[in-house]
Amino acid sequence: MDESLVHQVSCGMLICAGRVLLVHRSSSKARYPNVWDFPGGHLERGENSRQALVRELREELGVEITPPTGHPLLTRRDAEIFQEIWKVEAWEGAIINAAPDEHDAIGWFRLDEAMSLDLADDGYPALFNQVLP
């Protein structure tokens, strides 16, 4: 983990049957409250992005995934954040909102539905267009 960056984040773009799973960030969140986002979170000391994604999806959704291989779908860097978004198409377990203090809702969305949401990042629609049918 690069200590010079304020926030290092790993997120999963879970895809199933032409839909994407998004989580609605609670109004109590200091960063990006009341918007739809991908599940995931900050890297902990000693973790890489793949390990953080596995842990975060277990903590937030109650599912187990195999660490992703290859390259992330999206890497975003600026002065405050290093974010990687990984495509996830397989998991074990039933998806639940295991972190209701962080997300007040979760949902599956088709492309047209996802495009109409208030999203955490202006770059997400391009990513939806790239991945969803």
Side-chain angles (χ1 to χ4, degrees):
M1 184 157 70
D2 183 346
E3 300 295 333
S4 65
L5 295 172
V6 176
H7 300 282
Q8 291 194 338
V9 178
S10 184
C11 299
M13 184 177 188
L14 281 72
I15 305 291
C16 183
R19 294 177 184 246
V20 61
L21 180 83
L22 297 171
V23 296
H24 188 263
R25 294 175 61 85
S26 171
S27 62
S28 64
K29 298 297 287 179
R31 294 177 61 88
Y32 306 105
N34 289 318
V35 293
W36 290 92
D37 204 353
F38 296 113
H42 292 86
L43 277 65
E44 293 182 353
R45 184 174 296 282
E47 279 185 326
N48 64 40
S49 184
R50 292 170 175 88
Q51 293 166 328
L53 182 63
V54 170
R55 177 185 50 75
E56 287 286 346
L57 294 185
R58 180 184 317 116
E59 291 174 0
E60 293 185 7
L61 303 177
V63 296
E64 294 293 332
I65 66 163
T66 301
T69 59
H71 300 284
L73 288 171
L74 177 73
T75 300
R76 183 173 68 112
R77 300 170 195 252
D78 63 31
E80 293 188 9
I81 192 168
F82 175 79
Q83 179 187 29
E84 292 181 333
I85 299 175
W86 299 88
K87 186 175 182 180
V88 178
E89 296 181 286
W91 53 86
E92 292 182 21
I95 292 175
I96 61 168
N97 185 3
D101 55 320
E102 292 187 34
H103 312 117
D104 53 23
I106 62 174
W108 288 99
F109 301 94
R110 293 184 320 265
L111 176 60
D112 60 326
E113 295 169 326
M115 298 292 257
S116 70
L117 298 173
D118 188 11
L119 300 168
D121 189 289
D122 292 340
Y124 289 173
L127 193 57
F128 296 152
N129 277 317
Q130 175 188 337
V131 176
L132 295 174

